Amino acid sequence: MPLAEAVALHARERPHAPAFRMEGRVFTFGELAAEAGGIFAAVQRSAAEVSERSILSGRARLVSLETGNHPLFPAAFIAATAAGHCAALIDPHLPEIARQRMKERLRPEVVIRAEGDLLRIDVPSAGHSRLLQGAAGPSPAVRAGNGGEPFLVVFTSGTTGESKAIIRNRRSWRVSLETGKGFFRLESETTTYAPGPLAHGLTLYALAETMTAGAEFVGARHFEADQSLATIAAFRAKRLVLVPTMLRRLCERAARSPLTSIRQITIAGAKLTPADREAARVAFPNAQVTEYYGASELGFISVSQAMDRHTPTAVGKAFPGVHLAILGENGDRVPAGEAGMIFVESELVSEGYIAGGDGAGFRRHGKRATVGDLGFLDEDGTLHLIGRAGGMVVSGGNNIYPSEVESVILGAGGVNAVFVFDLDHPDLGSELAAVVEPGGGFDRAALEAHLAAALPRYKHPRKIWLCRNMPMTASGKLAAGELRRWIAEENTALERLA
């Protein structure tokens, strides 16, 4: 069932049931439907003023949604994806230059952004802007769109400095929500707490599946472990949706006072360690932990539960409705246990990239699609992930391409060469590190300012070394292995900056 229709149904049948809660503000399904209707009407009025079309060229009205974790996000999301609209989610915490570049590429007709407790709607092509004060009277019903229409654009890191815009149609999400409702056993009593950013896939999807099931979703403007535990206890949440780093923070503080209301913990973004699972068992003794491996471009790929194998590379078996294949360089299937590129075939796959790409990542091979990740399948169908596409690093649940960070550092000035890579980290899984060969005019403060302006904080290297003379291979490339060895041996050729 489409999200707009589901919320409207719950508003008619259970208008006073809580739908969304965030730090002191709560919306019942009746209130949420009314707010969404009011925003939808405002978007429709604004759309009539548009003089320039978006990159979608008439396929759908593109609405840029830049509210972040705001109490009105769910209503704005429903409105921005209703009827013939497509929402482009842009994280307001990104540097202004990055957000502006995204909008230049997409050319959204309408922009919705937060202004204090309210929302503001802009029509860039007309130069119009208005503050939404809330509906003065009855709100119009929000119409669901057609299944084949594009309805969502999200961004994922590219292997160059540009994030890639992924476009998804309604049908793929509807199939996913229907399948997931049964798989995750979501019911109207499954109160879900998910404190991550709503502009990102994990938390956004948790919001949609929770509200579609008629349950209450509890979010947070920012994640803070002690506040999160208090929130979970106060509202007796039954389900958590988190990245591993968040789970570790919660388990550290809940170990002496276990929370028994939690029945389900859904994890994505990185693998849990055996120590993580044991900590979760102690902190949330009644919870079943489910991990899934997926990609923004492909949707769910595989899922791992308590009875599955939990080796360092195993990421579970195919999600319901998903067919997995490991293909070699010639495009043929490889035998069980042999490594190759992971391809999936399912109705959950996106339409791919718009507004340009970097030539890497998502591609199709017949009915199958891949993002370039490497792995193998066991005889019993267990998928093992052994390499991320483009050398991608997963740190604290965030996907980071080192080459993107290298491009930014090289653009700072006074840098001759740079090597960005990952180091093991007991909490984040991996942490980003960099070795910089300084040139004339290198200035540490200028580099930090450049990073702050160009990249979100989670993409900044946590450790930085200077190397006056980088080791090179015979072909003239940076000797990455040699640099890693120097770091491990604390070679005096390296000077630690951070």
Side-chain angles (χ1 to χ4, degrees):
M1 179 183 294
L3 176 60
E5 289 184 4
V7 169
L9 174 64
H10 301 317
R12 291 193 300 271
E13 296 183 346
R14 302 164 52 239
H16 303 297
F20 181 81
R21 189 184 302 269
M22 179 176 285
E23 297 180 2
R25 295 187 68 177
V26 58
F27 292 85
T28 66
F29 277 102
E31 292 167 338
L32 179 60
E35 287 284 354
I39 298 171
F40 176 68
V43 170
Q44 295 287 78
R45 290 194 298 271
S46 297
E49 303 168 358
V50 170
S51 60
E52 296 178 9
R53 301 309 302 267
S54 75
I55 193 172
L56 298 182
S57 300
R59 293 179 64 197
R61 186 76 71 183
L62 188 60
V63 180
S64 173
L65 187 54
E66 302 176 46
T67 67
N69 285 24
H70 191 280
L72 289 171
F73 177 91
F77 180 71
I78 293 169
T81 56
H85 302 321
C86 176
L89 298 187
I90 297 179
D91 189 342
H93 294 102
L94 290 171
E96 170 63 27
I97 189 172
R99 287 183 279 124
Q100 188 58 38
R101 179 70 180 131
M102 290 172 174
K103 285 183 283 189
E104 287 174 357
R105 290 158 59 196
L106 297 179
R107 305 189 306 277
E109 283 102 338
V110 178
V111 176
I112 302 177
R113 53 190 174 89
E115 187 164 314
D117 291 335
L118 302 176
L119 299 178
R120 179 173 289 279
I121 292 188
D122 301 328
V123 184
S125 62
H128 296 169
S129 179
R130 59 176 62 89
L131 190 66
L132 298 184
Q133 300 285 353
S139 299
V142 177
R143 305 190 310 274
N146 298 323
E149 295 174 338
F151 93 107
L152 181 64
V153 175
V154 294
F155 287 88
T156 189
S157 296
T159 57
T160 67
E162 292 284 0
S163 295
K164 293 184 284 191
I166 303 164
I167 188 164
R168 183 171 290 280
N169 66 39
R170 300 176 192 277
R171 185 178 297 109
S172 66
W173 251 42
R174 290 173 186 175
V175 172
S176 182
L177 289 170
E178 186 62 30
T179 304
K181 180 180 178 181
F183 182 84
F184 292 114
R185 301 187 303 281
L186 297 180
E187 301 174 344
S188 59
E189 295 79 21
T190 311
T191 300
T192 295
Y193 179 66
L198 288 164
H200 295 182
L202 175 65
T203 312
L204 175 70
Y205 188 84
L207 171 72
E209 64 183 354
T210 302
M211 293 196 303
T212 299
E216 179 182 7
F217 180 94
V218 183
R221 285 189 183 270
H222 306 283
F223 173 74
E224 196 282 318
D226 290 329
Q227 181 59 49
S228 292
L229 291 174
T231 300
I232 293 166
F235 302 110
R236 295 197 59 78
K238 292 186 177 181
R239 182 184 184 222
L240 303 179
V241 180
L242 308 162
V243 296
T245 303
M246 291 179 178
L247 179 63
R248 293 177 190 125
R249 299 280 194 274
L250 296 181
C251 289
E252 286 174 3
R253 291 161 175 78
R256 295 182 181 179
S257 301
L259 293 176
T260 58
S261 70
I262 299 297
R263 295 292 190 272
Q264 301 177 47
I265 301 175
T266 301
I267 297 291
K271 274 185 63 61
L272 294 177
T273 66
D276 294 333
R277 289 182 169 274
E278 176 58 22
R281 186 192 65 77
V282 172
F284 305 101
N286 297 326
Q288 175 179 302
V289 177
T290 300
E291 292 182 80
Y292 72 80
Y293 156 58
S296 299
E297 297 93 330
L298 305 176
F300 290 111
I301 297 174
S302 64
V303 63
S304 174
Q305 296 182 304
M307 69 291 294
D308 293 312
R309 195 180 317 161
H310 299 123
T311 69
T313 59
V315 290
K317 297 184 178 179
F319 190 77
V322 174
H323 302 281
L324 300 175
I326 307 298
L327 304 185
E329 292 183 0
N330 60 0
D332 294 334
R333 281 179 178 266
V334 302
E338 186 174 321
M341 193 167 291
I342 300 169
F343 280 81
V344 304
E345 180 182 345
S346 80
E347 294 185 82
L348 314 183
V349 175
S350 73
E351 295 183 11
Y353 304 131
I354 59 170
D358 54 11
F362 179 85
R363 64 183 176 88
R364 291 186 178 273
H365 183 80
K367 294 182 179 180
R368 302 181 181 122
T370 185
V371 291
D373 287 351
L374 302 176
F376 64 90
L377 284 168
D378 278 347
E379 293 284 356
D380 67 356
T382 297
L383 178 65
H384 293 255
L385 179 65
I386 60 174
R388 289 281 186 169
M392 186 175 73
V393 173
V394 180
S395 179
N398 294 302
N399 297 340
I400 308 168
Y401 285 97
S403 55
E404 176 190 4
V405 183
E406 289 175 348
S407 296
V408 170
I409 292 175
L410 285 169
V415 175
N416 289 339
V418 60
F419 172 53
V420 175
F421 58 104
D422 63 306
L423 294 172
D424 290 338
H425 191 278
D427 186 23
L428 300 174
S430 296
E431 65 177 350
L432 212 61
V435 180
V436 174
E437 182 179 294
F442 174 79
D443 182 84
R444 177 181 177 180
L447 173 61
E448 291 174 350
H450 182 74
L451 282 168
L455 293 172
R457 183 64 190 170
Y458 70 83
K459 291 185 179 180
H460 295 193
R462 293 167 60 89
K463 294 179 179 177
I464 299 177
W465 289 267
L466 290 184
C467 181
R468 302 291 172 179
N469 189 16
M470 291 276 223
M472 310 296 284
T473 66
S475 62
K477 297 180 180 179
L478 289 178
E482 187 77 357
L483 279 172
R484 284 183 177 272
R485 186 170 66 83
W486 285 7
I487 289 168
E489 297 173 350
E490 299 183 349
N491 193 294
T492 55
L494 300 177
E495 175 188 349
R496 180 74 179 269
L497 277 188

